[in-house]
Amino acid sequence: MDDEEHLKWMKEAMNMAEEALASGEVPVGCVFVRGGQIVAKARNRTNELCNATRHAELEAIDSIIANKELTPEMSQYPLSSTTLYVTVEPCIMCASALRQMGIKEVYYGCANDRFGGCGSVLGVNERVQHPIHPSYRAIGGFCREDAIMILRRFYITENTNAPVPRSKANRVLKTEIHPSASTGR
């Protein structure tokens, strides 16, 4: 698969991130692709559902597992022929779930320097050894600047769902993006 194909799917993930932003969520979106088709897409719903585990990746995995056409029989690795495109590097929780589900590979936009599970903080995808679950490849940098900018757009707004909301009236949107060696692209 060439970069143009990866960018096509990443743009679909960015559309889901825009939907998350419009809903007052941290703007992370994803699509799961199998056989050249999107089999699931999702966005963060943590604020909407008041549940910190409702990250985009887990929302999409739930829909794949629940769909009997996509998962006619539950196997040990139901995502072994599926590729994930996500706007931000999966967190440690999501990276672990993806490994346990046997994801084929992951392409992401920007690194997650606080909670990244595919190398930025912890390499759950392949660096951490596991006796049963196979590792998977994770490559960052697809639509990196777009992913960073949508996060910045969210973080300059008032988060009414925060336990102690902070005033952000004087915040200014930074538009300069520095190159990063850790993105893999």
Side-chain angles (χ1 to χ4, degrees):
M1 194 179 304
D2 62 8
D3 281 357
E4 192 172 309
E5 183 83 4
H6 294 307
L7 290 173
K8 171 181 134 181
W9 300 124
M10 189 58 74
K11 286 179 183 176
E12 293 291 333
M14 287 301 303
N15 289 340
M16 295 307 297
E18 288 287 349
E19 187 177 305
L21 180 65
S23 298
E25 298 282 352
V26 175
V28 177
C30 71
V31 296
F32 283 75
V33 176
R34 185 186 298 157
Q37 301 290 318
I38 293 175
V39 295
K41 57 185 176 179
R43 62 172 177 81
N44 275 4
R45 295 180 64 206
T46 58
N47 291 335
E48 176 185 338
L49 299 175
C50 299
N51 183 337
T53 69
R54 298 295 68 204
H55 290 193
E57 299 95 325
L58 298 182
E59 286 285 303
I61 288 171
D62 285 353
S63 71
I64 292 169
I65 300 305
N67 185 324
K68 295 302 176 196
E69 288 182 26
L70 297 175
T71 313
E73 290 182 22
M74 193 58 176
S75 65
Q76 184 174 9
Y77 299 117
L79 300 180
S80 63
S81 62
T82 309
T83 299
L84 167 64
Y85 293 87
V86 60
T87 58
V88 178
E89 173 188 4
C91 72
I92 294 167
M93 172 183 70
C94 291
S96 178
L98 291 164
R99 187 163 181 177
Q100 291 174 52
M101 300 299 285
I103 192 77
K104 180 180 174 185
E105 58 194 349
V106 173
Y107 294 89
Y108 62 87
C110 64
N112 183 342
D113 295 334
R114 293 183 67 197
F115 307 109
C118 293
S120 291
V121 175
L122 188 64
V124 174
N125 63 311
E126 60 186 359
R127 289 187 203 145
V128 175
Q129 295 300 313
H130 194 282
I132 300 170
H133 304 303
S135 62
Y136 61 90
R137 183 173 71 148
I139 301 169
F142 291 90
C143 297
R144 177 181 171 269
E145 293 81 10
D146 294 337
I148 290 169
M149 286 307 298
I150 195 169
L151 288 169
R152 286 181 180 175
R153 286 171 39 213
F154 173 79
Y155 285 115
I156 65 164
T157 63
E158 303 290 333
N159 183 357
T160 57
N161 297 303
V164 181
R166 290 184 233 163
S167 174
K168 297 183 182 178
N170 297 323
R171 292 228 175 146
V172 176
L173 179 63
K174 296 179 196 171
T175 58
E176 182 179 349
I177 298 174
H178 299 286
S180 173
S182 66
T183 62
R185 299 235 358 117

